[in-house]
Amino acid sequence: MKRNIVIATIAAAALIGGGTATALAVSGDDDAPAQRSSVQVQDDDANGTDDRDDRDGGDGGDDRHGGDSSDDNAEDAAEARAAKLTAAEAIKAALAAKSGTAVKAELESEDTNLVWEVDVLSSGNTWHTVHVDPGTGKVLGSHTEQEDADDAAEARAALQGGSVSAAEAAEAAAAKGTVTSVELEDEGSGRGWDIDTTGTNGAESEWTVNLTTAKVTADRSSDDGDD
């Protein structure tokens, strides 16, 4: 299940020390005030790095020498280390704010803000996207949407008969590395929790956690595409 949530990021001018404060803006039915994450990460775009690479043809060169991959791994590792709150803890914090069933949690960087983004399926076709501070566990805001009835039905059908929650799946996979993404797979015969982990070197791995046994296995479904 792939649900794309639109998150806007705004810049707010601050007169404190003559600097600029960046706030995470969460739009939606909840009208939650925008709040800034306590965990800030470097924004490569602000340095003009991406534009420079595009002008110089750097993407092609970096790919040949593994530059982009190395940089991405280093960035992923830094973000994983910066998040003091685990995926399981973020899910629990989100559910304390919005009742329902968590079906996805992902560590996201929006400009310089690092946040846990948790999707919660509530009653009917209502979905809440809850933003949790990865440093403090504080809920920064939320966004509510009314999705297609089929999406909710598919998620509930996938969960039927299962006993392993998103938080429990994250805890089960934590031994494999830092969990940065948990998502319910509700299509086809491969029902389960799709988990992404990041190692200390930034290398990413994909896992599947069984919905009834919590058994963790390597996810080979994307091997052909990666090759």
Side-chain angles (χ1 to χ4, degrees):
M1 177 179 51
K2 306 297 181 186
R3 302 182 57 251
N4 296 321
I5 306 299
V6 178
I7 302 174
T9 306
I10 63 172
L15 298 179
I16 303 174
T20 299
T22 303
L24 180 70
V26 183
S27 62
D29 299 338
D30 293 352
D31 294 326
Q35 298 187 52
R36 186 173 188 262
S37 171
S38 69
V39 182
Q40 299 293 297
V41 294
Q42 181 177 351
D43 182 8
D44 289 338
D45 290 341
N47 299 328
T49 313
D50 292 343
D51 292 339
R52 184 178 64 253
D53 287 343
D54 290 341
R55 289 194 300 271
D56 297 341
D59 285 347
D62 285 344
D63 287 343
R64 285 193 297 271
H65 298 291
D68 277 352
S69 176
S70 177
D71 290 345
D72 288 345
N73 284 353
E75 183 178 339
D76 291 342
E79 290 181 0
R81 286 194 302 268
K84 305 305 180 184
L85 204 70
T86 66
E89 291 168 340
I91 291 168
K92 293 173 183 177
L95 291 175
K98 296 292 180 182
S99 61
T101 303
V103 295
K104 181 179 178 181
E106 189 167 11
L107 188 62
E108 293 276 7
S109 58
E110 299 294 335
D111 283 347
T112 60
N113 287 280
L114 190 67
V115 297
W116 277 108
E117 183 177 297
V118 183
D119 287 356
V120 177
L121 173 59
S122 188
S123 59
N125 305 323
T126 302
W127 298 80
H128 303 288
T129 299
V130 184
H131 303 276
V132 181
D133 192 312
T136 65
K138 178 182 178 181
V139 172
L140 300 173
S142 62
H143 174 90
T144 301
E145 291 186 348
Q146 296 294 325
E147 289 283 341
D148 188 279
D150 289 343
D151 289 341
E154 288 174 3
R156 291 192 173 98
L159 290 166
Q160 189 173 8
S163 57
V164 178
S165 68
E168 291 168 338
E171 290 171 343
K176 305 296 185 180
T178 300
V179 175
T180 55
S181 176
V182 180
E183 184 170 7
L184 177 66
E185 175 55 64
D186 59 4
E187 298 178 355
S189 59
R191 295 190 313 148
W193 293 104
D194 288 343
I195 308 284
D196 290 344
T197 61
T198 299
T200 55
N201 61 349
E204 294 186 350
S205 300
E206 298 179 6
W207 312 88
T208 298
V209 177
N210 189 281
L211 279 167
T212 56
T213 65
K215 181 180 179 181
V216 182
T217 56
D219 182 1
R220 305 296 185 190
S221 62
S222 60
D223 282 357
D224 292 341
D226 291 341
D227 292 342

